[in-house]
Amino acid sequence: MSKILPKAFFEQSDVVFLAKNLIGKQLSTKIDGIFTSGIITETEAYAGSGDKACHAHLGRFTKRTKVMYEPGGIAYVYLCYGIHHLFNIVTNTKGNADAILIRAVEPTDGIPHMLERRKKQKLDKTLTSGPGNVTQALGITKQHNEESVLGEYIWIEDHNRNSRRIKETTRIGIDYAGKDAELPWRFYDTNSSFVSVK
DNA sequence: TCGACGATGACCT
DNA sequence: GGTCATCGTCGAA
């Protein structure tokens, strides 16, 4: 029994709760006609204008960040370090720029295609652990920015695998955020080896 | 227009 | 554990 998460799920206001709740859900993509999916094992919450680590801190509204102000249920994809595409899910209602970064998944379907995209010979934890690796394995790029995550290319299903043990800890790579860098807004599944722990 | 830099990963020792 | 590739975005000028 599984079902696609409805738009109302992503429009909830508690982004930290949602980030934790997404652990164990199945993220699927059908890009270039190729179906791949994996169980979400690691996420981070970014809480809009009040969060120093968030791109929309203090209501910053630019061509890049405007998608975060849209109602929940769409993708926010952007380029980091000129190389890596990072996949976020926009949450909360219109005007509230919350988002959840998907940092790692555990591959379940289309593994041969993921290996091909990642140019790897065999399955190991580096295939889909780390936000840049996740997007590469699933085929997500900047052209999927603003794409619905309830759509024909990207969607998320509840496979009732929510009884997993979830660890809360601090976010990664946001030293510039000062005190907000200490918030325990990163979540990962301690039962899975497909996480990008540091 | 231009310079600085980042929600990283790969590869080296 | 350390280095470095690589480019779009942002904000200052």
Side-chain angles (χ1 to χ4, degrees):
Chain A
M1 169 87 189
S2 68
K3 61 168 188 275
I4 295 178
L5 293 179
K7 193 165 177 61
F9 177 86
F10 300 103
E11 291 184 342
Q12 294 177 84
S13 60
D14 189 341
V15 67
V16 176
F17 165 81
L18 283 175
K20 188 172 180 177
N21 209 259
L22 278 175
I23 303 288
K25 299 292 190 287
Q26 181 165 42
L27 172 64
S28 301
T29 63
K30 188 177 178 186
I31 289 166
D32 295 331
I34 298 171
F35 169 68
T36 53
S37 68
I39 304 294
I40 296 171
T41 55
E42 186 176 350
T43 62
E44 283 182 11
Y46 287 86
S49 64
D51 179 5
K52 220 173 177 177
C54 182
H55 291 160
H57 178 50
L58 296 180
R60 189 163 58 160
F61 189 90
T62 65
K63 195 175 179 182
R64 181 178 65 153
T65 63
K66 69 174 184 182
V67 60
M68 298 177 77
Y69 293 85
E70 292 299 309
I74 58 176
Y76 168 41
V77 185
Y78 82 101
L79 189 66
C80 182
Y81 292 97
I83 305 172
H84 308 290
H85 297 274
L86 270 59
F87 172 62
N88 301 248
I89 299 168
V90 175
T91 68
N92 211 328
T93 51
K94 188 173 179 64
N96 293 294
D98 294 355
I100 298 168
L101 171 67
I102 306 300
R103 293 190 53 87
V105 303
E106 183 174 318
T108 53
D109 297 279
I111 291 174
H113 296 294
M114 295 193 203
L115 290 170
E116 189 180 343
R117 282 173 176 150
R118 299 272 293 112
K119 295 187 168 41
K120 296 179 79 72
Q121 301 303 313
K122 62 179 179 60
L123 174 64
D124 63 31
K125 69 175 63 175
T126 66
L127 181 66
T128 53
S129 60
N133 292 334
V134 170
T135 55
Q136 194 177 8
L138 294 178
I140 298 172
T141 67
K142 266 184 35 137
Q143 70 178 0
H144 301 103
N145 193 34
E146 299 187 64
E147 189 67 48
S148 170
V149 296
L150 294 69
E152 61 178 310
Y153 301 110
I154 304 170
W155 66 96
I156 299 170
E157 296 172 45
D158 187 352
H159 279 219
N160 295 316
R161 296 181 62 173
N162 299 330
S163 60
R164 299 179 152 214
R165 185 170 170 74
I166 297 172
K167 170 86 175 171
E168 303 180 10
T169 182
T170 53
R171 292 175 290 180
I172 288 176
I174 53 165
D175 296 341
Y176 59 87
K179 203 156 192 247
D180 284 349
E182 301 169 13
L183 291 167
W185 285 359
R186 170 169 165 250
F187 304 95
Y188 66 90
D189 182 347
T190 58
N191 291 333
S192 176
S193 58
F194 288 89
V195 294
S196 63
V197 278
K198 264 194 178 169

